[in-house]
């Protein structure tokens, strides 16, 4: 009889110890889970939203006299782009634009024109897609053209460094 009670006591003690160890490991797992989740939330919470306006300026002069469709030009971000007080896109980041349409100046006072389509921006070594089109037009010479249609032409379209134009982000950009 003593043997049976002792065995039952040992079984009871070992069962209680096993339950305590299992409960402790479950508590440790539950305690670790919120920490891991909050780390994920903090990392992914810092995104510049898609369609954010980014003011840019050309790095060099672009003129309708010298450009052809397909030519690529570099632009620079004019000011830091901030999100919640933090710099998401630093000033000076490079943006690439492509000439997608062009017409030269013509007789009758018609001015030269071209369009730049923004392709991508490089932020901290990573390229992200951009969108937006800017049309640059030269000044026409319509008053003079009325009197001397055969002799007068319009002016070429010119973009100078320092001229601000707008481009937009396509996707969210992490920062």
């Amino acid at each position: 009889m003593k043997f049976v009670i002792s065995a039952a006591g040992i079984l009871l003690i070992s069962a209680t110890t096993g339950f305590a160890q299992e409960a402790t490991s479950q508590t440790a797992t539950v305690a670790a889970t919120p920490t891991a989740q909050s780390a994920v939330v903090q990392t992914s919470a810092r995104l510049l939203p898609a369609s954010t306006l980014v003011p840019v300026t050309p790095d060099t002069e672009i003129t309708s006299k010298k450009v052809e469709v397909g030519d690529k030009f570099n632009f620079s971000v004019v000011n830091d782009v901030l999100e919640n007080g933090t710099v998401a896109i630093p000033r000076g980041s490079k943006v690439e634009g492509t000439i997608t349409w062009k017409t030269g100046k013509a007789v009758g006072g018609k001015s030269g024109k071209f369009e730049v389509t923004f392709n991508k921006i490089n932020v901290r070594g990573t390229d992200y897609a951009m969108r937006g089109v800017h049309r640059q037009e030269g000044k026409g010479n319509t008053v003079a053209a009325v009197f001397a249609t055969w002799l007068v032409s319009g002016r070429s379209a010119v973009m100078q460094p320092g001229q601000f134009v707008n481009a937009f982000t396509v996707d969210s950009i992490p920062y």
Side-chain angles (χ1 to χ4, degrees), residues 3-69:
F3 179 75
V4 173
I5 294 175
S6 299
I10 292 173
L11 287 175
L12 181 61
I13 291 171
S14 65
T16 307
T17 307
F19 176 75
Q21 288 175 348
E22 185 177 282
T24 305
S25 69
Q26 286 176 353
T27 305
T29 304
V30 170
T33 304
T35 308
Q37 288 175 348
S38 64
V40 170
V41 170
Q42 289 172 356
T43 306
S44 64
R46 298 179 57 162
L47 290 174
L48 182 69
S51 299
T52 298
L53 176 95
V54 181
V56 299
T57 187
D59 290 348
T60 59
E61 180 181 88
I62 305 171
T63 176
S64 61
K65 286 183 200 176
K66 298 177 183 177
V67 299
E68 295 299 327
V69 172

Side-chain angles (χ1 to χ4, degrees), residues 46-148:
R46 298 179 57 162
L47 290 174
L48 182 69
S51 299
T52 298
L53 176 95
V54 181
V56 299
T57 187
D59 290 348
T60 59
E61 180 181 88
I62 305 171
T63 176
S64 61
K65 286 183 200 176
K66 298 177 183 177
V67 299
E68 295 299 327
V69 172
D71 288 353
K72 296 190 183 305
F73 289 92
N74 287 321
F75 292 76
S76 295
V77 175
V78 177
N79 296 314
D80 291 335
V81 177
L82 302 175
E83 179 67 20
N84 297 324
T86 303
V87 176
I89 300 175
R91 176 182 58 205
S93 295
K94 295 301 176 189
V95 175
E96 180 186 276
T98 303
I99 304 298
T100 53
W101 177 78
K102 175 211 169 190
T103 181
K105 62 184 184 174
V107 294
K110 294 187 178 183
S111 63
K113 301 171 186 74
F114 63 86
E115 286 184 353
V116 177
T117 300
F118 299 102
N119 307 322
K120 63 183 177 179
I121 184 170
N122 187 290
V123 179
R124 296 178 187 92
T126 304
D127 288 342
Y128 299 95
M130 294 289 286
R131 67 177 174 80
V133 176
H134 175 75
R135 176 181 271 189
Q136 186 71 38
E137 298 184 8
K139 294 184 179 179
N141 208 347
T142 53
V143 174
V146 170
F147 299 109

